[in-house]
Amino acid sequence: MSLTEKIYLDYNATTPADPKVVEAMLPYFTEYFGNASSDHSFGWYADDAVETAREQVARLVSCRPTELTFTSGATEAANLALFGFCRKNRGKGNHIISCKTEHKAVLDTLEALESDGFEVTYLDVDRQGNIDLGELQEVIKSSTILVSLMLANNETGLIHPLKTITEIAHSQNVAVMSDITQAVGKIPVDLQNLGIDMAVFSSHKLYGPKGVGALYLNKSNNISIDKHLFGGKHEKGTRPGTLNVPGIVGFGEACSIAQTSLEENHQKLTTLQNLLEQELLTIEGATINCQNEERLPNTTNVSFKGVDGSKLLRYLNNLAVSRGSACTSNQVNPSHVLKAMGVEDEMALASLRISTGQNTSPEQIEKAVFEIKKAVNQLKSITV
């Protein structure tokens, strides 16, 4: 079976570039190929394209263009933000608060900061993936300088009450960083309204190209970071190196498209999510994780009781679904997100993240559920 015949349901891992995005990018590989830092007409034209894209990205997330730094993606942006902010503010304290269900891009960076002498408190979550806001208040202390919590979880789709979290942190003069990668383009994201100090996100999650993302630094809150990359004054020195002009142009176009189609896509994805979950729950032993919580409209995480999870994906070779986040799905280990939520290892291993997108159809959902039911029943019959 060719890739075109398989059903792609892993849009949280990455999305196909929108044809309009590719069309917008193409001239910047050949005709308008100048270096955006060059002081001549080729460079000026490229620089104008970068600044237009910066405005497009800023409009989607409701911030000022000057508050955005282009990066290679959310992972690099998270490294820049966490290392840069924590080291700059080390004189104020060395304590950071995060959560056990964060993406590995954040968790691994925090682990590196711990080896550099920082102290990190990882908040627990309940069975639905929610943090205890009272616990957050309690663990803030005089040495706390940063709270780092994502807006929407990449595995379950759970949406954290980020505005309330920010208000709690700011009341104690603590800054807030958020990984907003999975939320941008799927739900309205208003950085000014949220009030957070730093945010990171990627282009390839919203039908833009891979290899480009953004770091947001709130100028109203006078947020700045130490620079630890060197080699030029590109992006005001925060992220030196020749700008990926075609990628940035594509990122901007993807954000512009997302802004105009946000409400329509939200309605479509919600309809598909309802259809998918109604059908999945007809499978005996199926549980939708975080089912009754506020979630992304495209993300479903389902666990199956009595199924050998180590074999589940191999029985679903006509579907592109995942066991967890794309950075860890090649490892046959229980999801750290589900384990933090109290899901037993056996159930966590027998779990699927199904994430839909703008190309998903109701017919694909019906076919996918048929394949999942068949696989689950086959595996159950083996274990009986």
Side-chain angles (χ1 to χ4, degrees):
M1 179 177 280
S2 69
L3 282 178
T4 56
E5 295 175 289
K6 294 180 183 287
I7 299 174
Y8 187 79
L9 294 171
D10 201 16
Y11 284 83
N12 280 10
T14 197
T15 59
D18 189 293
K20 293 179 182 177
V21 169
V22 176
E23 183 180 357
M25 293 172 64
L26 285 175
Y28 294 90
F29 287 106
T30 54
E31 186 177 358
Y32 310 124
F33 58 86
N35 186 323
S37 298
S38 295
D39 194 17
H40 50 61
S41 57
F42 287 82
W44 301 331
Y45 198 94
D47 185 57
D48 286 345
V50 167
E51 294 313 312
T52 296
R54 205 185 303 272
E55 291 170 4
Q56 291 172 312
V57 177
R59 277 196 294 271
L60 178 61
V61 295
S62 299
C63 71
R64 289 179 279 185
T66 54
E67 295 175 312
L68 295 175
T69 297
F70 287 120
T71 67
S72 66
T75 297
E76 182 192 8
N79 275 261
L80 289 172
L82 288 168
F83 277 109
F85 181 85
C86 292
R87 287 175 174 171
K88 187 176 184 67
N89 291 277
R90 195 169 206 153
K92 301 177 183 177
N94 73 333
H95 182 231
I96 307 161
I97 299 170
S98 190
C99 179
K100 293 178 179 178
T101 55
E102 288 291 302
H103 191 278
K104 288 294 185 181
V106 168
L107 292 177
D108 288 354
T109 308
L110 291 175
E111 184 179 349
L113 282 167
E114 285 183 283
S115 67
D116 192 33
F118 287 89
E119 176 193 357
V120 183
T121 297
Y122 297 94
L123 298 173
D124 290 317
V125 297
D126 63 19
R127 184 58 181 79
Q128 301 304 316
N130 296 298
I131 66 166
D132 183 334
L133 296 177
E135 183 188 5
L136 171 62
Q137 288 179 306
E138 289 173 5
V139 298
I140 294 175
K141 52 189 179 181
S142 60
S143 60
T144 307
I145 55 173
L146 182 67
V147 171
S148 179
L149 289 168
M150 62 190 356
L151 177 52
N153 188 273
N154 52 297
E155 292 192 27
T156 65
L158 179 84
I159 298 172
H160 283 305
L162 196 55
K163 187 172 183 179
T164 302
I165 289 166
T166 301
E167 289 170 351
I168 291 170
H170 283 180
S171 70
Q172 301 295 321
N173 296 315
V174 174
V176 176
M177 190 201 91
S178 184
D179 172 3
I180 61 173
T181 305
Q182 290 294 346
V184 176
K186 296 171 189 168
I187 59 174
V189 176
D190 187 332
L191 291 174
Q192 288 186 338
N193 179 258
L194 290 173
I196 59 178
D197 302 284
M198 299 180 288
V200 301
F201 55 110
S202 279
S203 161
H204 74 104
K205 306 291 189 180
L206 61 148
Y207 308 94
K210 298 174 182 65
V212 61
L215 165 64
Y216 161 77
L217 299 176
N218 190 328
K219 285 186 175 290
S220 297
N221 294 357
N222 298 314
I223 295 298
S224 61
I225 60 175
D226 264 357
K227 300 170 178 59
H228 59 273
L229 295 177
F230 305 94
K233 299 298 181 184
H234 317 81
E235 295 297 270
K236 300 182 177 65
T238 300
R239 200 268 183 176
T242 303
L243 291 177
N244 175 9
V245 177
I248 290 168
V249 167
F251 190 10
E253 183 68 17
C255 287
S256 181
I257 294 169
Q259 188 172 25
T260 58
S261 58
L262 191 62
E263 185 175 346
E264 178 185 350
N265 284 339
H266 191 282
Q267 291 175 352
K268 174 189 173 180
L269 293 172
T270 300
T271 300
L272 290 174
Q273 186 180 54
N274 290 336
L275 171 63
L276 172 64
E277 295 184 0
Q278 287 170 9
E279 293 294 326
L280 287 173
L281 288 173
T282 65
I283 302 173
E284 185 179 355
T287 301
I288 306 296
N289 295 302
C290 307
Q291 182 180 8
N292 298 316
E293 302 300 313
E294 185 179 5
R295 288 180 291 149
L296 295 174
N298 81 314
T299 305
T300 294
N301 192 295
V302 57
S303 299
F304 301 100
K305 189 174 182 179
V307 170
D308 184 350
S310 66
K311 298 177 180 177
L312 184 55
L313 284 184
R314 282 183 280 167
Y315 278 66
L316 296 172
N317 56 9
N318 293 335
L319 305 180
V321 294
S322 72
R323 191 178 286 111
S325 63
C327 64
T328 58
S329 57
N330 286 334
Q331 302 174 18
V332 186
N333 294 316
S335 157
H336 76 280
V337 172
L338 296 183
K339 286 192 69 173
M341 290 165 51
V343 179
E344 295 178 357
D345 284 6
E346 184 180 352
M347 281 282 279
L349 277 170
S351 300
L352 298 174
R353 180 186 70 176
I354 304 169
S355 47
T356 58
Q358 64 184 20
N359 298 327
T360 309
S361 67
E363 292 75 23
Q364 288 179 321
I365 293 295
E366 295 285 358
K367 289 178 182 177
V369 172
F370 175 81
E371 293 283 343
I372 293 169
K373 284 182 179 179
K374 183 171 70 172
V376 168
N377 288 333
Q378 286 175 336
L379 287 167
K380 282 184 177 179
S381 67
I382 292 172
T383 56
V384 170

